[in-house]
Amino acid sequence: STWDIVVIMLGTNDAKDINWKSQCDTDFSNCPYVTDYLAMIDLARSLGRVPGQSPRIFVGIPPPVMRQLVFHINMTVVNRVLPLLVPHIADACGLGGEHVIDVFDALGGRAVSRVPSAGCGKGGENQNLSGCAFFCDAEWC
């Protein structure tokens, strides 16, 4: 297959405790996730529709996670590490910030980063906690 545009948005399933390597939380230079992501981008660059011309490549910061360990997904990795790591990957491979699609912030990500690991709850539970007000106002609680 060949492509004009490639959008890569990984991380949510990678953030499962069984998959995530903890050294990626603080040291992006020694992170297997970064190495693998960069290899995927390099592969995508070779699949342009016109020989010798790369497709336009975009990377996405995944949407926020609302509760810790739902489907074994680590909320801290998705809500705190990936919003920093994905732009780092874009810079590391020369894509730059204009090729980062910030789904995380588009869906209230900065507010989610303050949501307690138990989530906001339903029926008024935790609605006054920092970070929950955005979601409760949007009727997500």
Side-chain angles (χ1 to χ4, degrees):
S1 294
T2 59
W3 307 307
D4 294 319
I5 298 173
V6 174
V7 178
I8 302 170
M9 186 167 63
L10 304 172
T12 304
N13 285 320
D14 298 302
K16 291 180 179 182
D17 286 339
I18 195 169
N19 299 331
W20 191 255
K21 307 298 182 214
S22 61
Q23 72 265 28
C24 295
D25 293 349
T26 57
D27 182 8
F28 297 163
S29 66
N30 190 31
C31 176
Y33 180 82
V34 171
T35 303
D36 293 344
Y37 209 123
L38 291 172
M40 183 178 292
I41 291 170
D42 282 343
L43 175 63
R45 283 185 165 140
S46 70
L47 299 172
R49 204 172 280 279
V50 176
Q53 184 176 344
S54 296
R56 293 181 64 202
I57 299 173
F58 296 88
V59 294
I61 303 172
V65 170
M66 293 299 296
R67 289 186 194 269
Q68 177 69 336
L69 299 179
V70 171
F71 301 110
H72 305 282
I73 296 168
N74 186 320
M75 182 177 169
T76 301
V77 171
V78 174
N79 293 354
R80 297 205 174 133
V81 176
L82 292 177
L84 301 174
L85 186 57
V86 173
H88 168 80
I89 290 168
D91 287 341
C93 68
L95 291 177
E98 67 275 7
H99 288 263
V100 176
I101 301 170
D102 195 349
V103 175
F104 179 77
D105 267 345
L107 294 177
R110 299 299 169 217
V112 172
S113 67
R114 296 184 304 274
V115 171
S117 62
C120 289
K122 296 190 185 276
E125 177 187 346
N126 295 334
Q127 287 187 15
N128 292 325
L129 294 176
S130 175
C132 289
F134 172 85
F135 294 98
C136 293
D137 288 345
E139 299 179 17
W140 294 353
C141 288

